[in-house]
Amino acid sequence: MEKNGAVPGETGKRDENIKRGNWGNQIEFVLTSVGYAVGLGNVWRFPYLCYRNGGGAFMFPYFIMLVFCGIPLFFMELSFGQFASQGCLGVWRVSPMFKGIGYGMMVVSTYIGIYYNVVICIAFYYFFSSMTRVLPWTYCTNHWNTPDCNGVLNVTNGSTGSSFNVTQILNQTLKRTSPSEEYWRRYVLKLSDDIGNLGEVRLPLLGCLGVSWVVVFLCLIKGVKSSGKVVYFTATFPYVVLTILFVRGITLEGAVTGITYYLTPQWDKILDAKVWGDAASQIFYSLGCAWGGLITMASYNKFHNNCYRDSIIISITNCATSVYAGFVIFSILGFMANHLGVDVSKVADHGPGLAFVAYPEALTLLPISPLWSVLFFFMLILLGLGTQFCLLETLVTAVVDEVGNDWIIRRKTFVTLAVAVVGFLLGVPLTTQAGIYWLLLMDNYAASFSLVVISCIMCVAIMYIYGHCNYFKDIEMMLGFPPPFFFQICWRFISPVIIFFILVFTVIQYRPISYNAYVYPNWAITIGFLMALSSVICIPVYAIYCVLRSEGDSLLQRLKNATRPSREWGPALPEHRTGRYAPPLSSSTESQLEVQLLNPEKPKSDEAGVAVAITVGSNGSTHSQDSKI
């Protein structure tokens, strides 16, 4: 029988799963996953966490958490999606009662997709603003500047403001606002005084938001077939830009000071639980676990693809990128600290403050500053788009797989368009004068402890409800070898414990959100918690619904039926459904086979030392296959 796809060692490039499609080749999948995992957090969160938690000492718990939590969870999600060839909803045929986990992942991806594209649109705005002879945030002579503005450059001769001695600068630290900060707050955002005071929609940001959504839609217009080609550029070019900025950064005076500050180990902090909590959280969030994107991307792999190898390559690449980005950021910040005559901690920042205030200000000190600014914001755009592609594809794939009929599969482009339009409309409030308050609220609550809860329940559902032995056999059937013993131990014991530790740490470390001096009101924090709960609540609500719909005379019987794998669970293609997934023989087929076995012309099994095993092909025909007694 001719098979509809690849077996191990097959080099054919045609789609294995004709109905859903596959990646053009394995490089496309790896690059897409790298683009998904490597995002804005690698540039603006990791370096900050590193210097805040003991510099080089932070690397130790960081890599420990990578080995015992990051890579195992990454491998679990890739293997889960690849085995079933389904998105984050379809895979829960493995245990229908837990399908709420898939809905929770969709809710999380929706929230992140809305605000992530707003960050990309701000990067677009700065990218376009950088195309000028003098960066607009260089001097304090603009109409949006205040008397408190104190730039690091002198307007009269373009020389540095070295006439200020260290004492004057330190005395003005509390009062000083930089030109880049005033450009960010008073011109780009026109920031309002309260989260409830939306003010006007910032039309330039709205236009850039439209541009970013159009770019995302065009890149996903044919699903993984089109995005797989785009990632050759979006996933690789940021490394070119990082390298250019790194070479430029380390040649600057004071760069060594910044890098030393970034890497110098403070070993006493190793014993601090907060350092280990930050390391675990950063690994967990930066790899994109529990977003649904890893399951979705892996579902377009061919069945026998070695996702074990891919998970190690992608996870290590993601973490190495974070470390590399730290060198780039702190070489520039060290230069700026040296220029101002202050400590690096005075200019270091994290989050949007690093990307849109501290780093742009440092760029104004460089010769040909608009060039470096264009490169930096172009890198941020590409890093953001790589993640955004997968977030949108996660939602589209979940919808298309759930409906599952040929009509919606043929019209997948329209589903993508509809999701993009809804995402754009929901992002409009984030382009108002209070938009940054809402963006940070979503970032802090919508995708924080809810991800940890979802991931923990997913581990328990696969390892203990479906059964670790069953899952290990599935992986062996798919890859040709069982998961290494180390991963078996991590999945069953170590990773769930670390995830639970992250959850406890997140709760203990919780502080009400604030933005600079602005403290969020209680009603806004309540909305934040409701956003966080909206994804987690999907799990118990769907579980109750599933149990009520299940057959059974008692609650225990209903629970058993609700957690038992459905008939559709298993490999998507008939030729891969062997062993315990092989379709049962019909009575007519069995009678036909009995006649064939009684036929005297057939070879006798005892003469050959083998028994004839009869299997049913995917087209319903029968064929014999020798198997050892």
Side-chain angles (χ1 to χ4, degrees):
M1 177 185 71
E2 182 182 351
K3 293 199 173 187
N4 181 31
V7 294
E10 185 184 28
T11 57
K13 286 190 175 181
R14 64 199 180 88
D15 281 354
E16 178 179 82
N17 192 326
I18 295 173
K19 187 176 182 181
R20 286 181 92 247
N22 295 107
W23 295 105
N25 57 58
Q26 216 43 43
I27 296 176
E28 292 182 8
F29 166 68
V30 171
L31 287 178
T32 301
S33 299
V34 166
Y36 174 61
V38 176
L40 299 171
N42 296 70
V43 172
W44 72 34
R45 181 170 166 79
F46 175 81
Y48 171 79
L49 283 177
C50 213
Y51 95 79
R52 191 182 75 179
N53 289 301
F58 180 71
M59 303 285 189
F60 180 73
Y62 182 73
F63 285 110
I64 291 288
M65 291 300 175
L66 171 66
V67 171
F68 287 97
C69 184
I71 296 177
L73 288 177
F74 206 90
F75 179 31
M76 174 184 279
E77 291 201 30
L78 290 190
S79 58
F80 196 26
Q82 181 174 306
F83 182 79
S85 297
Q86 289 288 310
C88 60
L89 290 180
V91 290
W92 290 104
R93 294 168 179 171
V94 69
S95 185
M97 192 177 90
F98 290 95
K99 192 175 181 179
I101 295 175
Y103 285 111
M105 289 176 171
M106 284 186 67
V107 172
V108 168
S109 288
T110 301
Y111 285 138
I112 298 174
I114 291 168
Y115 78 76
Y116 216 83
N117 231 17
V118 175
V119 177
I120 296 172
C121 97
I122 298 173
F124 264 115
Y125 184 86
Y126 270 80
F127 174 72
F128 295 135
S129 299
S130 301
M131 296 178 180
T132 178
R133 287 182 66 251
V134 178
L135 293 175
W137 55 87
T138 304
Y139 301 117
C140 292
T141 56
N142 304 288
H143 63 84
W144 59 81
N145 293 126
T146 66
D148 290 334
C149 182
N150 183 14
V152 295
L153 288 175
N154 194 317
V155 183
T156 56
N157 54 14
S159 63
T160 60
S162 56
S163 58
F164 288 98
N165 60 36
V166 175
T167 308
Q168 285 177 307
I169 292 175
L170 291 178
N171 286 340
Q172 293 178 1
T173 300
L174 294 175
K175 187 180 178 183
R176 173 187 183 268
T177 56
S178 65
S180 61
E181 184 179 350
E182 293 199 348
Y183 179 78
W184 164 247
R185 292 169 64 93
R186 296 174 57 82
Y187 185 74
V188 178
L189 301 179
K190 285 192 176 177
L191 192 64
S192 67
D193 57 353
D194 185 74
I195 188 172
N197 180 15
L198 293 179
E200 64 180 18
V201 172
R202 298 287 294 118
L203 292 180
L205 291 182
L206 185 65
C208 290
L209 182 64
V211 169
S212 57
W213 273 112
V214 168
V215 170
V216 172
F217 169 69
L218 292 178
C219 292
L220 284 173
I221 197 165
K222 292 188 176 180
V224 296
K225 291 298 182 188
S226 54
S227 67
K229 302 296 182 287
V230 175
V231 293
Y232 280 107
F233 179 73
T234 60
T236 57
F237 196 73
Y239 291 97
V240 176
V241 178
L242 272 177
T243 303
I244 293 171
L245 292 173
F246 173 68
V247 172
R248 183 68 189 102
I250 59 174
T251 59
L252 297 170
E253 187 180 357
V256 175
T257 308
I259 292 174
T260 303
Y261 189 88
Y262 168 53
L263 291 179
T264 302
Q266 299 170 31
W267 293 112
D268 56 309
K269 292 198 174 184
I270 282 286
L271 301 176
D272 189 351
K274 184 176 182 301
V275 174
W276 288 83
D278 275 346
S281 299
Q282 177 63 11
I283 283 289
F284 184 83
Y285 294 128
S286 69
L287 287 175
C289 298
W291 290 18
L294 298 178
I295 293 174
T296 302
M297 295 301 105
S299 72
Y300 292 102
N301 278 332
K302 293 187 176 181
F303 183 73
H304 292 292
N305 168 63
N306 189 347
C307 58
Y308 166 64
R309 171 201 62 205
D310 295 343
S311 62
I312 294 176
I313 292 173
I314 297 163
S315 301
I316 292 177
T317 301
N318 173 67
C319 296
T321 304
S322 296
V323 176
Y324 187 37
F327 283 96
V328 177
I329 297 297
F330 273 88
S331 63
I332 299 286
L333 295 182
F335 162 66
M336 186 175 182
N338 177 75
H339 178 84
L340 289 173
V342 297
D343 191 68
V344 179
S345 61
K346 300 289 185 183
V347 293
D349 203 346
H350 73 109
L354 173 65
F356 301 120
V357 178
Y359 206 84
E361 183 177 16
L363 292 174
T364 62
L365 301 174
L366 300 177
I368 329 175
S369 54
L371 171 64
W372 309 114
S373 186
V374 165
L375 283 174
F376 177 72
F377 289 109
F378 188 51
M379 178 187 71
L380 288 188
I381 290 167
L382 294 181
L383 287 173
L385 287 175
T387 303
Q388 190 69 16
F389 291 157
C390 295
L391 289 169
L392 190 62
E393 185 63 40
T394 298
L395 299 174
V396 173
T397 298
V399 171
V400 171
D401 283 350
E402 187 65 8
V403 177
N405 57 40
D406 292 334
W407 184 87
I408 198 167
I409 290 173
R410 286 197 302 269
R411 291 162 178 79
K412 186 177 178 181
T413 301
F414 294 102
V415 178
T416 307
L417 177 62
V419 173
V421 170
V422 171
F424 169 75
L425 295 175
L426 291 175
V428 170
L430 301 185
T431 62
T432 61
Q433 290 177 258
I436 193 69
Y437 296 128
W438 289 101
L439 189 150
L440 292 172
L441 187 74
M442 294 177 75
D443 185 40
N444 276 268
Y445 290 95
S448 57
F449 73 86
S450 53
L451 288 176
V452 186
V453 174
I454 289 171
S455 191
C456 193
I457 296 175
M458 182 177 72
C459 270
V460 171
I462 295 175
M463 288 295 109
Y464 296 100
I465 305 299
Y466 177 55
H468 63 274
C469 290
N470 289 331
Y471 195 66
F472 298 160
K473 288 176 185 175
D474 289 343
I475 290 181
E476 184 173 9
M477 173 182 168
M478 178 172 67
L479 302 183
F481 58 88
F485 182 72
F486 171 76
F487 283 85
Q488 297 182 22
I489 296 298
C490 283
W491 286 345
R492 294 180 63 192
F493 308 111
I494 301 176
S495 296
V497 169
I498 292 177
I499 295 171
F500 184 73
F501 164 69
I502 297 173
L503 180 60
V504 172
F505 168 77
T506 305
V507 172
I508 292 174
Q509 196 191 0
Y510 171 75
R511 297 286 182 277
I513 184 177
S514 62
Y515 178 57
N516 294 334
Y518 176 75
V519 179
Y520 281 68
N522 290 332
W523 64 266
I525 294 174
T526 303
I527 291 176
F529 275 113
L530 289 175
M531 282 194 289
L533 288 172
S534 63
S535 54
V536 176
I537 201 70
C538 295
I539 301 173
V541 167
Y542 190 87
I544 294 170
Y545 167 74
C546 186
V547 169
L548 292 176
R549 289 188 63 230
S550 296
E551 297 177 356
D553 299 326
S554 64
L555 178 61
L556 184 63
Q557 190 62 44
R558 286 172 178 267
L559 275 172
K560 285 183 179 179
N561 289 333
T563 54
R564 187 177 293 134
S566 68
R567 293 178 182 176
E568 293 82 16
W569 165 249
L573 301 179
E575 60 263 29
H576 297 142
R577 296 183 74 91
T578 58
R580 58 200 177 103
Y581 293 104
L585 300 175
S586 64
S587 57
S588 59
T589 306
E590 286 177 354
S591 61
Q592 182 182 357
L593 296 179
E594 286 178 11
V595 172
Q596 289 180 349
L597 287 170
L598 292 172
N599 191 332
E601 295 178 2
K602 298 288 180 185
K604 293 181 180 180
S605 61
D606 57 348
E607 292 177 2
V610 296
V612 180
I614 308 298
T615 59
V616 180
S618 61
N619 58 3
S621 62
T622 60
H623 60 280
S624 64
Q625 182 182 26
D626 290 340
S627 64
K628 301 285 183 185
I629 292 181

